[in-house]
Amino acid sequence: MKKRTASLLKPYILILPALALAVVFAYRPFLLTLLNSLHTVSLQGQRLSFVGFENYQRLFVSQSFQASLSNTLRFTLYFVPTNLIICLGAALLSNRKGKLATLNQIFFFLPMAVGLSSAMMILKMMFNPSIGIINQLFGSDIQWFNDKHAAMALLVIAGVYLDIGLNFLLLHAALRNVPSELHEVAKIEGANSLQVFRYLQAPLIAPTFVFVLMTNIKDAMLISSPVLILTEGGPFRSTQTLVYQMYLEGFKSGNYAMGSAIATVVFLLTLSALLLLLHLERRRVYYQ
């Protein structure tokens, strides 16, 4: 009897440390953020009075918030397909047999070995309109930090650079797990490279592809570090994202209630997008 009870309790005991960490560092801060968004909060972080959805009403009529929401959605629209195409292309290129296959793998995996802040500072120097190597290399005069379209493009480039290492690794591993026997059968049947990818590789790597798509959407909605280091939300708020505005309101201005309201909106938007994707996944993606 004791042995059976111990066997039943063992899984719960093993998961207890991870659950405790999740409660302390994830669930509790989330609940406090939700509570703060419904109250007025002092500069010392104390909740003063319950105001209901007043903070959200003020937020949604704010032009700054509307600009942040628009910029975040535009960035997501540009970043996610660009990143998926580049990462999938890199994984397909590295999956081909040849002398340069290993070199390609190292090249695409390399961004993971560089720290985020260091990478952003290097990009900031490379895209400097006056002394940067990018304008000199292409003989252009693009004002990467002063033109709103160029600044958004720079954020997309930075986002792709930051995400390419892990996404490439996942897609490359998924492609390598496609059974070689199926490749040989496809070659015998006379399938070309496009047909092999469409009818063989794409269905088999679909679960990994959906996972990468979901993490891309999450990363796009939460982008902040490239904005903070490269553009600081400019020019004229054209690259100010929701999380960057949350940082300004909550940490720079000490408006914890408004910062918490923005954080809650970001959470709900991201959760809605991911739930919709999970719903589509159940209809379109098949697991072995």
Side-chain angles (χ1 to χ4, degrees):
M1 186 66 183
K2 288 183 178 178
K3 186 178 288 185
R4 186 181 176 188
T5 305
S7 178
L8 288 173
L9 289 177
K10 187 177 179 181
Y12 300 100
I13 295 172
L14 290 176
I15 203 174
L16 200 57
L19 188 62
L21 289 174
V23 169
V24 172
F25 294 107
Y27 300 139
R28 182 176 177 274
F30 171 73
L31 291 176
L32 292 178
T33 300
L34 191 61
L35 284 175
N36 286 343
S37 72
L38 301 173
H39 290 76
T40 55
V41 183
S42 69
L43 287 174
Q44 289 74 33
Q46 296 177 332
R47 286 185 290 279
L48 301 177
S49 59
F50 179 77
V51 296
F53 293 99
E54 186 179 320
N55 289 327
Y56 292 95
Q57 291 174 351
R58 289 171 50 206
L59 189 64
F60 279 98
V61 297
S62 163
Q63 291 186 352
S64 178
F65 173 76
Q66 292 171 7
S68 300
L69 180 61
S70 172
N71 293 334
T72 303
L73 295 178
R74 281 195 304 123
F75 175 79
T76 303
L77 190 64
Y78 300 148
F79 165 74
V80 173
T82 304
N83 193 37
L84 287 176
I85 291 172
I86 291 176
C87 292
L88 184 58
L92 288 170
L93 183 65
S94 298
N95 198 48
R96 297 168 68 93
K97 293 180 180 178
K99 294 181 180 178
L100 296 178
T102 305
L103 189 62
N104 287 334
Q105 293 171 20
I106 295 172
F107 176 76
F108 293 121
F109 180 72
L110 199 57
M112 286 190 70
V114 182
L116 187 150
S117 300
S118 303
M120 291 302 100
M121 290 305 296
I122 292 171
L123 282 179
K124 194 169 187 177
M125 293 177 64
M126 290 175 63
F127 284 88
N128 186 295
S130 303
I131 61 172
I133 190 173
I134 299 298
N135 274 356
Q136 293 183 15
L137 194 64
F138 294 100
S140 59
D141 188 27
I142 301 174
Q143 298 298 310
W144 293 100
F145 305 112
N146 298 322
D147 180 87
K148 61 180 183 180
H149 301 296
M152 180 59 76
L154 178 58
L155 285 187
V156 173
I157 293 170
V160 170
Y161 177 82
L162 290 176
D163 272 17
I164 192 171
L166 180 60
N167 293 340
F168 161 76
L169 198 63
L170 293 171
L171 291 171
H172 180 65
L175 285 171
R176 291 192 68 174
N177 283 332
V178 176
S180 57
E181 296 83 0
L182 296 180
H183 279 286
E184 292 175 4
V185 172
K187 285 182 181 178
I188 293 172
E189 293 293 330
N192 58 36
S193 299
L194 183 60
Q195 290 170 326
V196 169
F197 173 73
R198 181 178 177 183
Y199 297 110
L200 176 62
Q201 293 174 318
L204 292 177
I205 69 168
T208 305
F209 188 81
V210 171
F211 174 78
V212 172
L213 175 60
M214 292 175 69
T215 55
N216 275 205
I217 292 174
K218 183 264 296 178
D219 291 344
M221 295 299 294
L222 300 180
I223 183 170
S224 59
S225 300
V227 180
L228 181 65
I229 298 173
L230 293 177
T231 65
E232 298 182 349
F236 307 110
R237 295 178 180 168
S238 62
T239 59
Q240 177 178 286
T241 60
L242 287 172
V243 176
Y244 182 69
Q245 188 185 358
M246 180 195 72
Y247 163 76
L248 293 179
E249 295 282 358
F251 295 96
K252 298 288 282 188
S253 304
N255 192 347
Y256 300 123
M258 199 59 74
S260 299
I262 297 173
T264 305
V265 171
V266 174
F267 166 76
L268 292 176
L269 283 174
T270 308
L271 181 65
S272 302
L274 296 184
L275 288 177
L276 177 62
L277 194 57
L278 282 173
H279 176 70
L280 296 175
E281 178 208 15
R282 294 193 188 97
R283 291 171 175 268
R284 301 286 183 182
V285 179
Y286 300 95
Y287 292 88
Q288 292 178 327

